Amino acid sequence: MDDASDATPPSSGPREETGTEEAGDSAAGSVAAGIFTSRVFGLLRERAVAYFFGVGAHADVLQFAFRSPNLLQNLLGEGTISAAFIPIYSRMVEEGRHEEAGRFAGAIFGLLLAVAGGFALLGVVFADAIVTVLAPGFGDAAQATSGEPPLNRFDLAVRAVRIIFPMAGVLVLSAWALGVLNSHRQFFVPYVAPVLWNGAIIATLVGAGYALAGTPWAPSTLSGGTLTRLLLITCVGALGGGLLQFGIQLPFVLRHLREFEFSLSTRVEGVQEAINAFGPVVAGRGVAQLSAYLDLFLASLLTVGALSALRYAQLLYMLPVSLFGMSVAASELPELSRLTEERVAAFSARLRRSLRQIAFLTVPTVVGYLAFGVLLVGALFRTGQFQAGSTWLVTIVLGGYSLGILATTMSRLLQNAFYAIGDTKTPAWIAGLRVTVSTVVAVPTMFWLDAIPVEAVVGALPGEPLFLGALGLSGGAAVGAWVEVGALRRALRGPMPDARVPWAAVGRMGGVALPALVPAAGVWKLLPAWHVLFVAPLVVGTYAAVYLGAAALLGFDEIEVWTRRFLTSDAEE
């Protein structure tokens, strides 16, 4: 087994590693706290979207518009910055070469500004072609709301895309700011900055809803034409929110970049090295983006509501990935980039320790999603136009995604391990393998399931019928995630033979999470027929308390480390 030795973490190695680990814990706490805050606002944003648009034609268009420029954000955003910019910039800062670091940061900013601006312009000009290629199913008219004329999803999507592409260009610059701040070990601000983006969208929805309907509290009174106007106004609010997200980071960036020198030159020291690293990383991110675009393409071929159901489920799916996986992976990368060759063995032990930390909170999340997903989805989204049928469809799709959450969180850290040792090619081709497997599994499954209504699984439901096709896409993603984590681990055996995945620890955590369901289910059964907003916190809170309490009694060290991460995050800032 891979985890033969993970039960007792190695204690040998340089003593100064303890201080480094504590710094990493503090940094991970800052990242996790920032991500948690922004994710909470992200969920509030999606609750507002669900309130006004539910699961249907307008929701499909809005979700498509927000995801259509993801190529720009993913290829030039945080993932690429982490692999190509942070290692080089961190090294310059560590060596005290602040003038060279300022010139390097200025050149990368200039190049990103030029490329992102060009892509944004192309998105505006070729919006029609983008929708044609990515959402061919939008060519069919879809019923907007009961009694309304059919909605032309294609034309509305084109108009929305022309607003959203410039927003994506601004968010690329925000990722550059994140890279600078992370390199200076300042994590909370860049990861909490998206709160402003989410807040701008929420404010726009509520304000525009009031302006269009006379009240923001009666979405059912909004006609199809009014919902169309509300959707386009929301896109404008998202553009403004992107500017706020970038702008809030600038004062902190400028504090560190006193030697900043703007340029478009590729001859500045470090730029060619970054460009050389960009290639394989962009290939890897491009493969991941291909997967996202395949989801859009395939979901558009399914019945109305499939695309928006995927999006709502993905929000809960990505919460543990970001909060537990990205928080550890992002905080480790600058430290790993500073490691010398002699300390690689210490890093292997640290990697195993970090994987256990990720699993400690991810495993109970997966179990909880599968058992109490309908409560969580109902508490977060069941409001306004989002009713029982939508709740069950999103819950079922989330179940498919949940099967791959642990693999996805572990993959984030394993990918950064490759980036830290200068290997950006291996994660790229393995990402391609993941997409291939996911697609092969998803395509036949989704068309088969798209003929099965949700009612066939959960019983009679009010409203327009919804179908299970989106479950095929989420299930395929889970299968691909497990193939990816297995391939990453095998590839890492060469440079880091001791970097094992802690499967035994994962089993122990699952052994604690499963019995914790019993008292939580008992609470659910005994509670009266209260609103789900009251039931969900009590049931999920009971489950979490029993899991954490049992883990503490059994001596799981991960509780102490996660506690230290969160308690020290404020002090670190």
Side-chain angles (χ1 to χ4, degrees), residues 355-409:
L355 286 169
R356 288 195 299 274
Q357 290 302 313
I358 289 172
F360 178 70
L361 295 179
T362 302
V363 169
T365 300
V366 172
V367 174
Y369 277 179
L370 293 173
F372 305 124
V374 67
L375 289 178
L376 290 167
V377 172
L380 290 171
F381 303 125
R382 188 164 180 176
T383 179
Q385 304 278 40
F386 194 107
Q387 290 302 315
S390 303
T391 300
W392 277 110
L393 176 58
V394 173
T395 298
I396 293 169
V397 175
L398 174 63
Y401 277 127
S402 296
L403 299 176
I405 288 176
L406 179 62
T408 302
T409 54

Side-chain angles (χ1 to χ4, degrees), residues 26-38 178 181-182 184-195 248-249 252 331 565-566 568-573:
S26 175
S30 295
V31 175
I35 289 176
F36 178 77
T37 305
S38 64
L178 177 147
L181 294 177
N182 280 9
H184 288 278
R185 298 184 176 94
Q186 188 167 6
F187 297 96
F188 181 75
V189 170
Y191 282 101
V192 81
V195 165
I248 194 64
Q249 297 179 76
F252 299 92
S331 61
R565 282 175 170 165
F566 285 110
T568 57
S569 62
D570 292 336
E572 187 270 347
E573 287 302 317

Side-chain angles (χ1 to χ4, degrees), residues 476-553:
V479 174
W482 282 107
V483 170
E484 180 182 42
V485 76
L488 285 169
R489 170 62 194 100
R490 285 192 295 271
L492 197 59
R493 283 176 179 166
M496 295 183 181
D498 293 330
R500 303 179 182 91
V501 175
W503 296 120
V506 170
R508 292 192 296 274
M509 294 163 188
V512 176
L514 288 171
L517 294 176
V518 177
V523 170
W524 188 4
K525 184 176 180 179
L526 293 173
L527 285 174
W530 291 344
H531 193 281
V532 68
L533 278 174
F534 298 102
V535 175
L538 291 173
V539 173
V540 175
T542 299
Y543 168 65
V546 172
Y547 173 79
L548 293 173
L553 290 174

